[in-house]
Amino acid sequence: MKVQGKMFIWLAVFILVMAIVYGVWSKEPAGTTALFLAFGLSMMIGYYLAFTARRVDALAQDNKDADVADEAGEVGFFSPHSWQPLALGVGGALAFLGVVFGWWLLYFSAPIILIGLWGWVFEYYHGESRTQ
């Protein structure tokens, strides 16, 4: 975690320098604002990773003499299949089409989004995956 924290903090410093150079040379407010916001976001992520790195055990990536096999093992739990992202994608597409063609499409997209969100949150509370 220490490595990632340092990488994001150095990225934030680079983005800050580029934002200042871009702002002085271009005098364009939208791009300059976007770069300063990117600096803030990179700094937040870097600070969080550096802050939490002190509270967790050292990982293999923090050891200069580590091998690739040192981090072998279970990475985490990943859902094998789910239809809920499809429902959320269709509902989100209809919602954005509602902005283009008319707000009345939100009446059709909101229930699809809510059903997809409900199903995604509670997909492990029913059926064959109930005990996981």
Side-chain angles (χ1 to χ4, degrees), residues 13-26:
V13 169
F14 173 75
I15 292 173
L16 177 64
V17 170
M18 290 299 109
I20 292 170
V21 169
Y22 183 82
V24 169
W25 280 357
S26 72

Side-chain angles (χ1 to χ4, degrees), residues 34-131:
L35 284 170
F36 277 112
L37 289 175
F39 159 73
L41 290 173
S42 295
M43 200 65 194
M44 284 182 357
I45 294 170
Y47 175 76
Y48 171 77
L49 290 174
F51 183 76
T52 56
R54 288 184 257 145
R55 288 168 173 69
V56 297
D57 295 333
L59 301 173
Q61 60 207 12
D62 295 326
N63 184 4
K64 294 188 187 299
D65 298 326
D67 292 328
V68 174
D70 290 341
E71 278 294 321
E74 185 176 335
V75 178
F77 174 74
F78 299 99
S79 181
H81 64 281
S82 179
W83 288 97
Q84 308 312 323
L86 180 64
L88 287 171
V90 169
L94 278 176
F96 282 109
L97 284 175
V99 174
V100 175
F101 294 113
W103 293 102
W104 57 271
L105 273 174
L106 289 176
Y107 291 118
F108 299 105
S109 64
I112 296 172
I113 291 173
L114 291 176
I115 289 169
L117 189 60
W118 181 273
W120 209 356
V121 168
F122 294 110
E123 71 182 341
Y124 290 108
Y125 290 101
H126 60 82
E128 66 184 37
S129 303
R130 184 180 331 155
T131 59

